[in-house]
Amino acid sequence: FCASDSVYTEGLELAPADTMGGPKASACEVITAIAAYVLTSSTLVFANKFLMSPEISIPAPLLVTWFQCVVTVVMIRILSLIRMR
């Protein structure tokens, strides 16, 4: 998806050097991360609204929160394994 490894676009540096010595993020990676965050957070808001609506009304909101945290941890682990390849 992000084919270019360049951190420069039109002469402007998009990402400063990482203070920990890691690689710089490309513009495509940054835009992809922002888009993923917006999509994920919006989806969670609507899922929570649906699950807590009077029609569904799951009686254990803490269970919903716990399940979302578990799914988040699993997804982060899967994505980190995919990125290492």
Side-chain angles (χ1 to χ4, degrees):
F1 182 71
C2 297
S4 176
D5 288 333
S6 174
V7 293
Y8 293 99
T9 300
E10 299 175 15
L12 299 174
E13 186 175 350
L14 297 175
D18 189 352
T19 58
M20 300 300 286
K24 297 178 185 178
S26 70
C28 184
E29 289 173 330
V30 171
I31 291 169
T32 303
I34 292 170
Y37 174 78
V38 168
L39 178 67
T40 304
S41 62
S42 299
T43 302
L44 276 178
V45 166
F46 288 115
N48 287 336
K49 184 174 182 176
F50 174 73
L51 291 173
M52 297 300 159
S53 68
E55 296 86 27
I56 303 291
S57 188
I58 294 179
L62 190 59
L63 176 66
V64 174
T65 303
W66 177 82
F67 181 73
Q68 288 175 349
C69 289
V70 169
V71 170
T72 300
V73 169
V74 170
M75 291 302 297
I76 288 172
R77 182 65 181 148
I78 289 169
L79 291 172
S80 69
L81 291 173
I82 290 171
R83 185 156 192 231
M84 281 195 240
R85 290 183 176 185

